[in-house]
Amino acid sequence: MLLHVPNVLTPEQVAQCRAVVDAGTWADGSATAGHIAAQVKRNDQLPETSDAARQAGEMVRRAVLAHPLFVAAALPHRILPPMFNSYGPGQHFGNHIDNAIRVSPIDGVQIRTDLSCTVFLTDPDAYDGGELVVEDTYGAHGVKLEPGDAILYPATSLHRVEPVTRGARVSSFFWIQSMIRDGGQRGLLFELDTAIQRLTIADAKNPVITDLTGVYHNLLRQWSEV
């Protein structure tokens, strides 16, 4: 499932986040890539343990966990501390699949990467190229979103960042270990959750809502690894 999550950060939060990361000291992004990915990765990143990355990352983490659509789709159990990258002219990240296990550089906790998320922090008119391209059974999907918007997609997906030809593309990215390991089960729960929400808006007193909510939580209880 490829999901656009709008307005994760408000314009004010985007400005605050950019002020922090823009003042940080950037480093070669290939240092945090696996052996294979490092061969096709050309970008800059904030060091994961830097003050700027940790401060801005906490802003992003709190924002996504407060966003109902993100929580409904991801059902997050653990989130790796958000990281930050920048792509300038000529920089790109070729086709790759994210590592299955990531280790937090802050507390050493291991995370199974069920989902990947990118939060865009740059106006799309400020740079050319730089699209995130995610491939699935339906083809290749180019993503270039407004600042503050996020894209959520399976970490098993083959994906890339196209070369930037003008300006700079600054984003936050991170991985999520979901309470529901199976993507099909997670997708069914998301569809059921959103259907319950639509029914609640249309007819809040409908007793079927209670029945469906019970089904949702019983499935969550049965499938959850928590």
Side-chain angles (χ1 to χ4, degrees), residues 17 21 26 44-46 53 56-57 60 82-85 121 171-173:
C17 193
V21 301
W26 296 81
D44 296 318
Q45 283 182 200
L46 283 181
V60 172
M83 301 162 65
F84 298 85
N85 57 24
L121 299 174
S171 302
S172 176
F173 65 101

Side-chain angles (χ1 to χ4, degrees), residues 5-22:
V5 185
N7 304 315
V8 169
L9 297 173
T10 66
E12 293 76 18
Q13 289 173 319
V14 170
Q16 292 172 4
C17 193
R18 283 298 303 268
V20 172
V21 301
D22 289 350

Side-chain angles (χ1 to χ4, degrees), residues 60-79:
V60 172
R61 189 190 70 85
R62 289 184 179 181
V64 296
L65 290 177
H67 198 290
L69 183 60
F70 174 88
V71 173
L75 293 172
H77 177 46
R78 294 191 179 99
I79 293 180

Side-chain angles (χ1 to χ4, degrees), residues 134-145:
V134 181
E135 297 190 14
D136 59 20
T137 55
Y138 298 100
H141 310 276
V143 182
K144 189 173 183 179
L145 302 178

